[in-house]
Amino acid sequence: MRVGRGRGTALASAGLGGALLLSACSGGPAGGGSEAGEDLREVNIALIAWEEAVAVTHMWEAILEEKGYDVTVTEVDVAPAFQGVADGELDLYLDMWLPVTHHEYMERHRDSIESLGSWYDNAVLTLAVPEYVEDVRSIDDLPAHADALGGSIVGIEPDAGLTQVTRDQAMPLYGLDEGFELETSSGAGMMERLDGAIAEERPVVVTLWRPHPAYAQYDLRDLEDPQGGMGGTEGLHSIGRAGFGEDYPELAGWLRDWSMDDDELASLEALTVGPGVDDPEAGAREWLSQNPLFLERTLMDAAEGLEF
């Protein structure tokens, strides 16, 4: 669900470049170095406006602001996010799905990005229906119910990894190409379609992923995937531009030590991208104030004195 941008956020939906990124880029091109092993103080974080990315990006924005960093959050689409990090125009991206969803981007930019490790290990891509769609329990069931579902699978962005996996793997594998069209728009567009269908109790099937706050909002059923067309469980990873660890030795260490479990991520999403939220950074600060043990675990001694 696309949400309003918090303070310090720049919109770069048309791509990266120009004066915005020349001025916002942290310390110049990759490999700029930092003095005496200290972090550069400006950091530009790429944000693709997916729920878990919004939640954790604004969480780190709040943490880093309290630690004295000058944080810019730049909202981009999928391909520009990876390209921006690879080119050194953006410093950091926190929501790379591996080994399936973002595999192509990882292969394309492997030599130009720096891995900062996985922070969540229970992510899945799925096709889902509301619980009231009683006769559809497996992707195998979809062809027999194409008419009732309007011949449509409601998707998200055209270049999203979830879209590629659904279109190129699951649909051919389950014979969905004839009876269904994958309709792409955006995460927000998908949620609007899901909201409308559920309000009228109409059958609908959407591309979805866990973690996602829709599961807290509605009774949804992930369709069984006996042939593995949607891939298995994935990890969510952080990546930096080349030279990130050299320019941000302390921050890189925090990110490598960072992890979240299902309950932590779900409660963070509820405060940052849940219904009625209009200030995700304020929600992140509220969550951080409620979770001092997370801060201590993640930042260790550097968490001392932090207040949210």
Side-chain angles (χ1 to χ4, degrees), residues 175-223:
L176 304 181
D177 290 332
E178 294 184 5
F180 286 89
E181 177 184 355
L182 178 59
E183 297 186 32
T184 59
S185 58
S186 65
M190 179 273 292
M191 281 301 298
E192 288 175 6
R193 293 280 297 277
L194 181 62
D195 293 341
I198 289 177
E200 299 178 4
E201 289 202 10
R202 287 184 283 105
V204 65
V205 57
V206 300
T207 64
L208 205 55
W209 64 96
R210 290 181 183 267
H212 195 290
Y215 292 100
Q217 188 175 354
Y218 297 123
D219 291 327
L220 300 173
R221 179 189 306 121
D222 290 338
L223 298 185

Side-chain angles (χ1 to χ4, degrees), residues 8-12 16 21 24-26 42-48 53-54 56-65 69-76 81 84-85 89-95 238-240 244 248 251 255 258:
T9 304
L11 177 63
L16 303 177
L21 291 176
C25 181
S26 300
E42 296 181 359
V43 60
N44 193 330
I45 307 175
L47 171 61
I48 301 171
V54 171
V56 299
T57 299
H58 288 294
M59 179 190 75
W60 276 104
E61 178 186 18
I63 292 171
L64 294 178
E65 286 177 346
Y69 292 78
D70 181 3
V71 182
T72 298
V73 175
T74 300
E75 188 175 333
V76 287
V85 174
E89 293 181 325
L90 295 168
D91 298 305
L92 183 62
Y93 176 58
L94 301 172
D95 194 30
S238 304
I239 57 170
F244 184 88
Y248 302 91
L251 174 53
L255 291 170
W258 167 40

Side-chain angles (χ1 to χ4, degrees), residues 100 163-174 228-231:
V100 177
T163 300
Q164 295 171 8
V165 169
T166 304
R167 180 189 61 227
D168 300 337
Q169 295 180 196
M171 293 184 71
L173 189 62
Y174 287 97
M230 298 299 291

Side-chain angles (χ1 to χ4, degrees), residues 55 112 155 157 164 214 267:
S112 303
E157 290 82 357
Q164 295 171 8
S267 60

